[in-house]
Amino acid sequence: MQMYDLPDSRGHFGPYGGVFVAETLVHALEELRAAYETARKDPAFVAELESELKHYVGRPSPVYHARRWSDLLGGAQIYLKREDLNHTGAHKINNTMGQAMVARRMGKRRVIAETGAGQHGVATATVAARYGMECVVYMGAEDIKRQAANVYRMKLLGASVVPVESGSRTLKDALNEAMRDWVTNVESTFYIIGTVAGPHPYPVMVRDFQAVIGRECVVQMPELAGRQPDAVIACVGGGSNAMGIFYPYIPHDDVRLIGVEAAGDGLATGHHAASLCAGRPGVLHGNRTYLLQDAHGQIVETHSISAGLDYPGVGPEHAWLKDSGRAEYVAVTDDDALKAFHDCCHREGIIPALESAHALAYAAQLAPSMARDRILLVNLSGRGDKDMHTVAEKSGIRF
Amino acid sequence: MSRIADVFGKLASARRKALIPFVTAGDPAAGGTVELMHALVGAGADVIELGVPFSDPMADGPVIQRASERALAEGVSLDDVLGFVTAFRKRDSTTPVVLMGYANPIEAMGTEAFAGRAQTAGVDGVLVVDYPPEESAEFAALVRRHGIDLIFLLAPTSTKERIDSVARLASGYVYYVSLTGVTGASHLDVGGVGAKLAAIRRSISLPLGVGFGIRDGESARAVGKVADAVIVGSRIIQEMEQGDPAAAAARAATLVRSIREALDRP
């Protein structure tokens, strides 16, 4: 394939991405773009980030051959990229560490973040504590009720958690509120966005920080399996873990890239969060991308058993990868994800995050149709400790 | 000449300042918007900014967010907003109407369809909050072909380069946001506003309106000394929220009239 050099200088991935924000934010984004450009080309920054990822986050994360589960499925071999073993239990910290270091270079003493399930909020609160920065996390009032343990974790780490009561009181509204804080306090404040969405440079910056996942895999797979995988599979909400593992594989033409969205109760029911499979392009949160919207262009409420996938948009680079055909996007239901969650627990002794269980579910569907010498690499983006209550409730168990 | 240019021309010759109230279409009730617009004109509005409700008004503070939520609860869409303008035009053929909102409802209708229908309805200007100049060259050309002005925002942080890029695309007037923040914020530095407007005038010859942070007759009057137009939004919506919805238009008109009087005082 042609050399892949997206986005362009204004953050466009074909017709997607860009900077769709009010004038009041443009200057702050321009400052951020310039600061990030300088940082990523500075060997001292790169070396410090590598050192932090190694000693604080615990990288590289291993790749593990899920041999028993693969044998039971009777087809392709499933390998798991163990992002669940990172400090704070998910891939989110790869990005928050990078952005917090950019914030420090810019002299910002206060960081803010939006969070849905709380994973990005926890990862932000963690690096803020690590660097002695003030931290404010915006979280939808509905999500605060559903994720009490993560709210407490953030508070233990010294962050303030601000409930957002507007709109649907979930992740998208938390993002709106964080943007409002940023535009009001732009002098002192750095906004750490948690996914590959938002206005330029966020989609490219977050991708770059998460691409460590895929870069490690490109080295690890030949060592462990003797070659690169036939397909790389990752769940997609906003799409940061998927972008992180896909990006280094984009030039590997013979590696399929498969993103798995949340089909919730099923795409036909309308209760889902599958922007790429069932949405259409529009403008939200500073970029053009696929959105779940009604006929009048209002953003609709989404549903997924996994709070981390419960978002009506998706990163603009995924929109481009879909249209260009380089990546494929599918969706699995809550029930399929739950089954994969339990299978992964029982067969491999690994409790996956419900988000990651969507990628596992699709791998488990695909594997039996493939020969035993085929290889599927699944990004196990986070661990499932945070989902105990959700899964127990589904099984009718109360603590 | 567009209605907007016409109004600003007449005001300039009379050495008066334009008063531009903002209300969200469909708030507090879908059935009341057209009457509210007429009441604002009766109270001294020169131009009306009509907000198109959106589910995710990222640049707005809590007051306009609530207005947007009430309007959406009333089921008000961009189709309905164009309907309100059509109805308004039956009794008022001179007061300019500017639609202010976010890109997605317009893109969902289709930009071509929107421009045509807005022209037919009698819309004079459009301000798309999340279309900065870099992303709106095509849209600017499209609405201009339909005789509609594209209004842009400028902020205290806008550089000379950005002011120039707005100068190339803008028509009607330019909306200067008096502070970095969201709509409905309270602090206002009139001296700073005056200095920035002087810098903007070196690149832009269009009338300059100032909004964000104007609360009453006195702050409007202070801003009117340096700007061509004073834009008041959140304060009007608050005024309507504080009373019976049936009295909303009357309450808004009383406030607008008091601002008008302060603005016109010699």
Side-chain angles (χ1 to χ4, degrees):
Chain A
M1 92 178 252
Q2 292 171 300
M3 199 182 80
Y4 184 90
D5 57 0
L6 297 177
D8 70 12
S9 63
R10 285 181 184 158
H12 297 106
F13 301 88
Y16 303 108
V19 181
F20 291 90
V21 297
E23 179 65 24
T24 41
L25 268 179
V26 169
H27 183 68
L29 288 166
E30 181 50 37
E31 272 186 348
L32 172 61
R33 194 198 55 74
Y36 173 60
E37 272 306 301
T38 317
R40 74 183 189 90
K41 290 176 188 153
D42 178 353
F45 177 86
V46 174
E48 189 187 351
L49 179 57
E50 268 177 22
S51 169
E52 289 288 66
L53 290 177
K54 180 177 178 186
H55 299 288
Y56 188 70
V57 175
R59 301 206 72 87
S61 67
V63 172
Y64 163 74
H65 184 185
R67 206 180 299 265
R68 202 167 94 79
W69 197 9
S70 303
D71 283 349
L72 286 163
L73 290 165
Q77 301 305 304
I78 295 175
Y79 287 74
L80 305 177
K81 177 62 172 170
R82 298 293 308 276
E83 289 300 299
D84 60 316
L85 296 178
N86 291 336
H87 180 39
T88 73
H91 71 291
K92 290 291 185 189
I93 196 163
N94 302 328
N95 167 51
T96 59
M97 181 58 81
Q99 289 198 48
M101 284 175 50
V102 176
R104 274 204 312 168
R105 285 171 68 100
M106 296 177 75
K108 310 284 185 183
R109 302 291 306 156
R110 177 174 181 266
V111 295
I112 59 171
E114 83 293 343
T115 198
Q119 291 306 98
H120 173 59
V122 168
T124 303
T126 299
V127 295
R130 165 78 183 79
Y131 291 131
M133 293 164 150
E134 183 189 347
C135 179
V136 176
V137 178
Y138 290 91
M139 190 166 181
E142 277 301 312
D143 290 335
I144 285 181
K145 276 194 283 183
R146 295 192 284 195
Q147 302 287 343
N150 265 346
V151 173
Y152 186 58
R153 281 171 86 191
M154 288 184 266
K155 288 180 178 168
L156 283 176
L157 291 160
S160 321
V161 180
V162 179
V164 176
E165 301 282 357
S166 58
S168 57
R169 298 147 47 105
T170 59
L171 175 59
K172 76 177 178 72
D173 309 287
L175 208 152
N176 292 334
E177 206 56 38
M179 279 283 178
R180 292 177 187 123
D181 177 313
W182 194 33
V183 71
T184 307
N185 302 296
V186 70
E187 283 302 311
S188 66
T189 298
F190 188 101
Y191 178 16
I192 299 185
I193 291 188
T195 191
V196 287
H200 181 61
Y202 283 102
V204 64
M205 178 169 67
V206 176
R207 175 196 78 191
D208 290 352
F209 288 138
Q210 291 295 0
V212 65
I213 304 173
R215 282 199 305 273
E216 289 173 2
C217 291
V218 168
V219 175
Q220 290 166 318
M221 286 307 293
E223 289 171 1
L224 186 66
R227 65 181 179 89
Q228 299 300 346
D230 295 289
V232 175
I233 303 174
C235 64
V236 178
S240 69
N241 89 83
M243 225 35 255
I245 197 166
F246 285 179
Y247 183 62
Y249 276 108
I250 288 175
H252 294 244
D253 281 344
D254 44 1
V255 178
R256 286 171 68 190
L257 305 177
I258 305 173
V260 185
E261 295 194 299
D265 295 336
L267 294 185
T269 65
H271 299 135
H272 59 79
S275 326
L276 289 163
C277 292
R280 59 179 203 280
V283 173
L284 179 71
H285 292 152
N287 68 104
R288 177 172 281 125
T289 188
Y290 279 82
L291 301 174
L292 292 171
Q293 52 181 315
D294 70 13
H296 301 292
Q298 306 297 341
I299 307 306
V300 298
E301 289 191 29
T302 52
H303 166 78
S304 169
I305 190 169
S306 139
L309 301 183
D310 212 347
Y311 179 66
V314 64
E317 193 163 8
H318 285 295
W320 168 250
L321 290 173
K322 173 189 161 78
D323 283 14
S324 70
R326 179 61 190 96
E328 310 153 52
Y329 294 89
V330 297
V332 307
T333 61
D334 287 356
D335 288 346
D336 291 342
L338 267 172
K339 180 176 186 307
F341 175 94
H342 288 297
D343 286 350
C344 189
C345 292
H346 290 158
R347 286 163 194 174
E348 296 296 342
I350 296 169
I351 301 176
L354 281 172
E355 290 78 6
S356 321
H358 286 72
L360 293 170
Y362 191 71
Q365 287 171 19
L366 198 57
S369 68
M370 298 170 78
R372 282 173 184 270
D373 61 351
R374 301 286 97 186
I375 297 175
L376 300 177
L377 172 62
V378 180
N379 197 8
L380 187 60
S381 55
R383 66 176 183 233
D385 307 46
K386 69 184 175 60
D387 296 315
M388 295 294 98
H389 274 273
T390 308
V391 175
E393 215 167 80
K394 277 275 169 185
S395 315
I397 295 162
R398 301 193 63 160
F399 292 125
Chain B
M1 191 185 272
S2 80
R3 285 194 196 93
I4 294 175
D6 196 35
V7 160
F8 276 101
K10 282 179 182 153
L11 286 165
S13 13
R15 303 177 67 82
R16 291 174 74 220
K17 302 296 180 173
L19 173 55
I20 309 182
F22 167 97
V23 291
T24 299
D27 173 51
T33 297
V34 178
E35 277 318 304
L36 173 59
M37 292 167 75
H38 288 303
L40 294 171
V41 175
D46 299 297
V47 177
I48 291 176
E49 283 187 356
L50 194 57
V52 180
F54 182 48
S55 52
D56 293 80
M58 211 169 76
D60 285 299
V63 174
I64 293 177
Q65 286 173 52
R66 286 198 298 271
S68 213
E69 283 177 17
R70 284 190 295 265
L72 290 174
E74 289 274 297
V76 171
S77 66
L78 180 53
D79 289 291
D80 298 313
V81 178
L82 293 171
F84 298 153
V85 179
T86 305
F88 174 76
R89 281 278 169 254
K90 289 187 177 143
R91 277 171 49 203
D92 187 326
S93 59
T94 55
T95 309
V97 176
V98 172
L99 298 188
M100 182 168 177
Y102 293 80
N104 206 53
I106 292 173
E107 295 200 356
M109 178 177 281
T111 50
E112 293 272 354
F114 166 75
R117 291 179 58 184
Q119 179 180 26
T120 308
V123 170
D124 302 284
V126 178
L127 195 171
V128 186
V129 175
D130 47 358
Y131 269 173
E134 291 79 2
E135 302 284 1
S136 47
E138 268 178 50
F139 185 72
L142 171 66
V143 297
R144 195 174 302 120
R145 282 201 299 279
H146 288 273
I148 295 171
D149 291 318
L150 192 57
I151 319 290
F152 284 93
L153 297 172
L154 282 173
T157 49
S158 300
T159 57
K160 165 93 170 58
E161 191 190 6
R162 297 196 56 73
I163 294 169
D164 289 344
S165 64
V166 165
R168 284 189 289 275
L169 293 176
S171 58
Y173 59 95
V174 168
Y175 186 140
Y176 179 70
V177 174
S178 64
L179 47 89
T180 50
V182 292
T183 52
S186 53
H187 38 285
L188 178 68
D189 162 22
V190 177
V193 170
K196 189 73 184 185
L197 292 191
I200 294 172
R201 284 205 172 90
R202 285 196 280 276
S203 298
I204 294 179
S205 55
L206 294 171
L208 302 182
V210 172
F212 283 37
I214 296 167
R215 316 289 307 159
D216 51 20
E218 286 319 300
S219 50
R221 188 175 160 77
V223 167
K225 292 198 189 308
V226 292
D228 304 301
V230 171
I231 303 160
V232 190
S234 297
R235 181 68 191 88
I236 294 174
I237 290 168
Q238 258 175 345
E239 188 64 24
M240 294 195 287
E241 273 183 334
Q242 283 161 7
D244 179 351
R251 292 178 68 93
T254 304
L255 174 67
V256 168
R257 193 170 291 113
S258 74
I259 295 173
R260 174 87 264 169
E261 282 162 7
L263 211 50
D264 290 347
R265 212 162 59 227

